[in-house]
């Protein structure tokens, strides 16, 4: 929602790319949502950009571009593959459109449990080794 200098209010469509009159606004919004999901998943797992880039098979500068929303040269499919390599499942659901032309949207289900960081995993392994050693 925006307010003009004369006080009139304009309600947005829910897609800033469409509101700005940019080409392919649905695809742009979907890519932005996927890039945001990539960033959230990297944070959830406690990964650095270098660690995440290695995990998904990208150079760190390429991943940085994605995380900063500059991925116009990446296809939607390629961005989805990044999420797959981060350990996320992707489910595509087809439903009836309420208008003559359908829309593309992304809905994210919450993760079941937060991912453990590498430090947490290492501590757990060390504790497990100590327990095994003490039981001998």
């Amino acid at each position: 929602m925006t307010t003009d200098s004369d006080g009139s209010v304009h309600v947005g469509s829910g897609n800033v790319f469409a509101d700005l009159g940019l080409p392919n606004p649905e695809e742009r919004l979907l890519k932005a949502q996927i890039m945001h999901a990539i960033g959230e998943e990297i944070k959830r797992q406690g990964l650095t950009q270098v660690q995440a880039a290695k995990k998904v098979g990208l150079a760190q500068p390429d991943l940085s571009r994605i995380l900063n929303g500059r991925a116009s040269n990446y296809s939607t499919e390629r961005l989805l593959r990044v999420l797959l390599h981060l350990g996320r499942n992707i489910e595509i659901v087809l439903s009836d459109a309420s208008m003559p032309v359908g829309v593309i949207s992304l809905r994210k289900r919450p993760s079941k449990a937060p991912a453990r960081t590498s430090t947490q995993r290492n501590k757990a392994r060390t504790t497990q080794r100590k327990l095994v050693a003490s039981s001998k």
Side-chain angles (χ1 to χ4, degrees):
M1 184 177 344
T2 61
T3 306
D4 286 345
S5 59
D6 67 357
S8 61
V9 176
H10 300 276
V11 178
S13 68
N15 183 337
V16 67
F17 303 107
D19 294 344
L20 293 171
L22 296 173
N24 306 313
E26 295 84 12
E27 183 178 353
R28 287 174 187 256
L29 180 60
L30 180 61
K31 282 183 171 185
Q33 291 170 327
I34 296 168
M35 288 184 280
H36 181 74
I38 290 168
E40 283 184 334
E41 185 60 24
I42 289 169
K43 281 183 194 171
R44 190 182 76 81
Q45 292 184 28
L47 300 173
T48 66
Q49 282 190 17
V50 171
Q51 291 168 325
K54 186 175 181 178
K55 188 171 186 173
V56 301
L58 292 174
Q60 183 275 327
D62 292 332
L63 181 61
S64 178
R65 278 190 280 283
I66 290 170
L67 296 176
N68 287 301
R70 298 186 318 252
S72 59
N73 58 332
Y74 286 89
S75 68
T76 302
E77 181 181 352
R78 189 170 181 199
L79 292 171
L80 289 173
R81 268 191 260 126
V82 171
L83 277 174
L84 289 172
H85 286 282
L86 286 169
R88 296 298 295 190
N89 289 327
I90 296 168
E91 180 178 315
I92 297 174
V93 178
L94 302 176
S95 63
D96 292 334
S98 59
M99 300 180 69
V101 176
V103 296
I104 299 172
S105 63
L106 182 135
R107 280 186 305 205
K108 186 178 160 215
R109 289 186 189 160
S111 299
K112 292 181 181 162
R116 295 193 309 183
T117 65
S118 58
T119 303
Q120 290 169 325
R121 285 190 300 271
N122 289 339
K123 283 182 181 178
R125 285 186 197 120
T126 301
T127 303
Q128 192 175 29
R129 285 186 200 119
K130 286 179 183 176
L131 290 172
V132 169
S134 66
S135 66
K136 291 182 179 179

